[in-house]
Amino acid sequence: MLFTDMERIPGFKAETYENAHGFPLSEKYENLVLWDWVTKKGIMSIKNLLRSDLLDCWGCSPELYWYEGVRMNMPLAKSIRSYKKPRWLPMAFGLTEKGEKYFGKNNLFDIARELHKKRLVI
């Protein structure tokens, strides 16, 4: 799954400049941007799913996003390090083993409802 897939979730993608945020890799590498125009709630949702060990992420080729017709309006990061100006670090997502087991035991609507109740997703 890519950020382009997550943008289809209502409330994830910012609709106005005022509520748009860059999704940084971490506080240490705040100029490594994973995605742009994300709501604060969208950022917290992904972070909570990662902390809950239901979702995993890894670096991917920018070509996956280019095939989706997306080009970020910033230079591509060549490595994980501090940059003076924002750089895009393309990432992909998938269910962890725990997430797959959880999904296997429950139907998608129950999972979405439970995560929403726990405020893990929008």
Side-chain angles (χ1 to χ4, degrees):
M1 176 169 49
L2 302 173
F3 274 107
T4 51
D5 299 309
M6 293 183 194
E7 283 188 338
R8 296 182 188 117
I9 300 169
F12 184 81
K13 183 179 179 179
E15 300 297 326
T16 63
Y17 182 78
E18 289 77 28
N19 71 350
H21 302 275
F23 193 141
L25 176 64
S26 69
E27 288 180 20
K28 182 177 179 182
Y29 302 108
E30 62 185 30
N31 274 337
L32 278 177
V33 179
L34 306 182
W35 202 243
D36 206 6
W37 278 77
V38 181
T39 61
K40 281 186 180 182
K41 203 168 188 180
I43 292 171
M44 292 310 302
S45 296
I46 298 302
K47 286 182 177 182
N48 286 334
L49 288 169
L50 291 167
R51 275 189 222 114
S52 298
D53 195 32
L54 295 174
L55 194 66
D56 196 7
C57 67
W58 54 89
C60 69
S61 169
E63 291 177 357
L64 292 174
Y65 283 94
W66 298 342
Y67 292 134
E68 294 273 328
V70 174
R71 301 242 184 215
M72 291 293 280
N73 195 17
M74 65 183 74
L76 188 63
K78 295 184 181 181
S79 64
I80 296 179
R81 62 182 174 91
S82 294
Y83 289 93
K84 291 180 183 179
K85 294 184 178 182
R87 301 278 180 136
W88 178 40
L89 183 64
M91 300 293 276
F93 296 86
L95 290 174
T96 61
E97 190 174 317
K98 179 181 174 182
E100 286 180 18
K101 287 179 184 176
Y102 189 78
F103 179 75
K105 292 179 186 175
N106 301 281
N107 75 44
L108 181 59
F109 298 107
D110 289 341
I111 293 170
R113 189 178 310 113
E114 182 177 333
L115 293 175
H116 182 72
K117 282 182 191 174
K118 292 179 179 178
R119 297 183 182 269
L120 294 179
V121 294
I122 302 166

